[in-house]
Amino acid sequence: MTKTLYLMRHGETVFNQQKKIQGWCDSPLTEKGIKQAQIAGNYFKEHEITFDHAYASTSERASDTLEQVTDMPYKRVKGLKEWHFGRFESESESLNPPLPYGDFFAGYGGEEEFQVRERVSEALMTIMKEAGATVLAVSHGAACRQFMRNWAHTSEVDQKDRLGNCCILKFEFENDTFKLIEIINHDFSSLIE
């Protein structure tokens, strides 16, 4: 049986606005972030997409986003957390090294790239094996990107697009394999910056 995973990035936060590195530290959604999540929720309603199960990272920004998208019960999963950036957390994004980050943050108490990739991939594999046919999971930008990279070999979708706040990644899941089907980046130009 083919299942569908909608993997979504959280809405804009105060740290996003301030251009700060978040990782495992947290900051609340902005008004814009709340509206972004509501727009994403409307996308699912307009396309008559209903979920059998819903999951969010244990970070508040992910749970708060999910609660704006749907009012269904959900489970918080540590494996869906953002990349741990060590001592760079809550510092300016200008301190980030050039992409790809590789194992840069491991030298500062954070995670290696493949640790993040493996953690998120294992969490989503467990979720999809246990969950119903259609699943929503709210996570984070770098975590989503690492999951995409883990399954890039199964997908023909161009993965160079930026994963904006409340971006939705649609995956098919069958025979323990994920395949990226679509990247849905909403147009939030109507929202005040």
Side-chain angles (χ1 to χ4, degrees), residues 57-76:
S57 152
T58 52
S59 296
E60 187 175 295
R61 62 192 185 267
S63 297
D64 288 351
T65 298
L66 190 145
E67 290 171 13
Q68 293 295 323
V69 171
T70 179
D71 60 2
M72 72 183 292
Y74 65 95
K75 184 176 177 184
R76 299 176 81 210

Side-chain angles (χ1 to χ4, degrees), residues 103-121:
D103 296 339
F104 175 82
F105 295 104
Y108 298 93
E111 288 179 290
E112 296 176 4
E113 181 175 2
F114 282 97
Q115 286 178 303
V116 181
R117 194 174 295 186
E118 191 172 293
R119 171 174 54 80
V120 176
S121 296

